[in-house]
Amino acid sequence: MNSMLERLQCNKQQVAAAFSRAANTYDSVAEFQRAVGGRLLSLVPQQLNSVGHQPQSWLDIGCGTGYFCQQLQQRWPLAQGLGLDLAEGMLVVARERCPTLAYICADAEHLPLADHSQDLIFSSLALQWCSDFSQLLREIKRVLKPGGVLLFSSLAEGSLFELRNSWKAVDNAPHVNQFRPFTRYQELAASSGLTVVDVHCHTHTYYYNKVRELTHELKHLGADHVQDGRAPGLVSRQGFERLLNAYEEYRQPQGLPATWQVVYGVLSQEG
């Protein structure tokens, strides 16, 4: 048990380090992340926009560079906002973007917050890095006020399947992260004790001229860390050529596709 916990903790530290390294380049290549977060914001329940029901406090889990902290602050300027991230490097950038907000470097699975302290919890494309999603939902349920709302987006199985399949032409080692099936998100949400308002999966597809454009983007986002461990050593020139040739089979008139399966969820705490 201790060795398993140590591996999980080590993996979290590696994820945090990868995103910290990418903090200064993240926003330059975050088109997909902004699109997903914007779509998630459109799912805010109508009552939270009405007078008398607007949140007095909100939390952004995995706030990254603070882009959506800024959006939340603009939407609810009188609310007390808090940005939380595991990567201290990201928080450095977030503090520069929105210096009036509070920030904390912490693990989403162990929120250092009081019970029933948040009206709204927002999290876009961060929760896929949490290994124990049921523990995460327990923490969110604990922290949400009665009537509070969780808005989240996360990655599901099938994301970057083109890249994953193309790597098989090189070797059988993991080169692309494997995420939870959508059905598992549905099951965990249903058993969380929160009321499921909406959980659905939406496909986002982006196109690239070259494979290197995609891999460089993942690196600049900090999303190139492979949770199950990458194959040791560098890929040979011949191996990379096999990867490129395999990916070419997916080419469409718009370019080389990169498909993301994104889960969107709206859950609420009983009032």
Side-chain angles (χ1 to χ4, degrees):
M1 177 64 74
N2 286 338
S3 62
M4 183 180 72
L5 292 175
E6 288 171 0
R7 286 199 304 273
L8 290 174
Q9 187 60 36
C10 181
N11 184 62
K12 288 182 179 180
Q13 292 171 354
Q14 291 171 347
V15 170
F19 280 101
S20 285
R21 287 193 299 270
N24 291 322
T25 57
Y26 185 93
D27 284 330
S28 66
V29 290
E31 178 185 357
F32 165 61
Q33 284 71 19
R34 288 190 290 269
V36 171
R39 191 173 190 274
L40 182 60
L41 273 178
S42 74
L43 301 178
V44 170
Q46 191 59 42
Q47 71 264 24
L48 292 184
N49 294 315
S50 60
V51 176
H53 292 87
Q54 294 189 4
Q56 297 178 337
S57 59
W58 55 258
L59 167 68
D60 184 352
I61 295 179
C63 67
T65 63
Y67 181 86
F68 286 103
C69 285
Q70 189 174 45
Q71 303 292 310
L72 293 165
Q73 184 183 43
Q74 290 172 355
R75 179 170 292 204
W76 297 294
L78 299 181
Q80 182 177 8
L82 175 63
L84 180 147
D85 204 282
L86 192 61
E88 181 60 49
M90 287 288 187
L91 293 178
V92 170
V93 178
R95 290 187 184 102
E96 294 175 354
R97 171 175 261 136
C98 293
T100 60
L101 296 179
Y103 298 92
I104 185 168
C105 186
D107 183 353
E109 293 176 37
H110 304 281
L111 296 171
L113 302 174
D115 294 359
H116 311 307
S117 59
Q118 302 297 320
D119 291 303
L120 172 68
I121 296 180
F122 177 93
S123 183
S124 188
L125 293 180
L127 304 187
Q128 65 271 10
W129 303 109
C130 296
S131 56
D132 191 342
F133 201 74
S134 58
Q135 164 65 17
L136 170 78
L137 291 177
R138 282 194 295 271
E139 278 291 87
I140 287 173
K141 186 178 190 301
R142 177 183 67 79
V143 168
L144 276 177
K145 293 180 183 180
V149 174
L150 164 66
L151 289 164
F152 79 88
S153 65
S154 188
L155 297 177
E157 184 179 61
S159 294
L160 296 180
F161 75 89
E162 302 96 342
L163 183 60
R164 170 183 290 275
N165 290 344
S166 296
W167 270 115
K168 293 178 181 179
V170 181
D171 55 40
N172 293 318
H175 293 273
V176 180
N177 281 303
Q178 181 67 46
F179 301 107
R180 294 179 192 87
F182 171 58
T183 53
R184 185 59 178 152
Y185 281 102
Q186 291 176 303
E187 292 167 359
L188 292 169
S191 62
S192 67
L194 296 167
T195 299
V196 178
V197 179
D198 178 32
V199 176
H200 69 273
C201 193
H202 183 79
T203 301
H204 295 256
T205 305
Y206 287 78
Y207 295 91
Y208 301 84
N209 293 320
K210 299 178 181 179
V211 174
R212 286 190 184 276
E213 292 178 4
L214 170 59
T215 57
H216 285 180
E217 180 176 299
L218 294 174
K219 182 177 181 179
H220 288 155
L221 289 168
D224 60 336
H225 171 72
V226 178
Q227 291 172 298
D228 292 331
R230 197 184 301 273
L234 297 174
V235 177
S236 67
R237 177 180 294 182
Q238 293 84 355
F240 199 74
E241 285 296 325
R242 290 198 295 273
L243 168 67
L244 297 181
N245 291 336
Y247 212 134
E248 280 296 323
E249 296 183 11
Y250 291 101
R251 184 175 288 278
Q252 299 177 18
Q254 306 97 308
L256 295 172
T259 301
W260 299 91
Q261 300 296 342
V262 182
V263 180
Y264 291 89
V266 183
L267 282 68
S268 67
Q269 180 90 284
E270 288 189 11

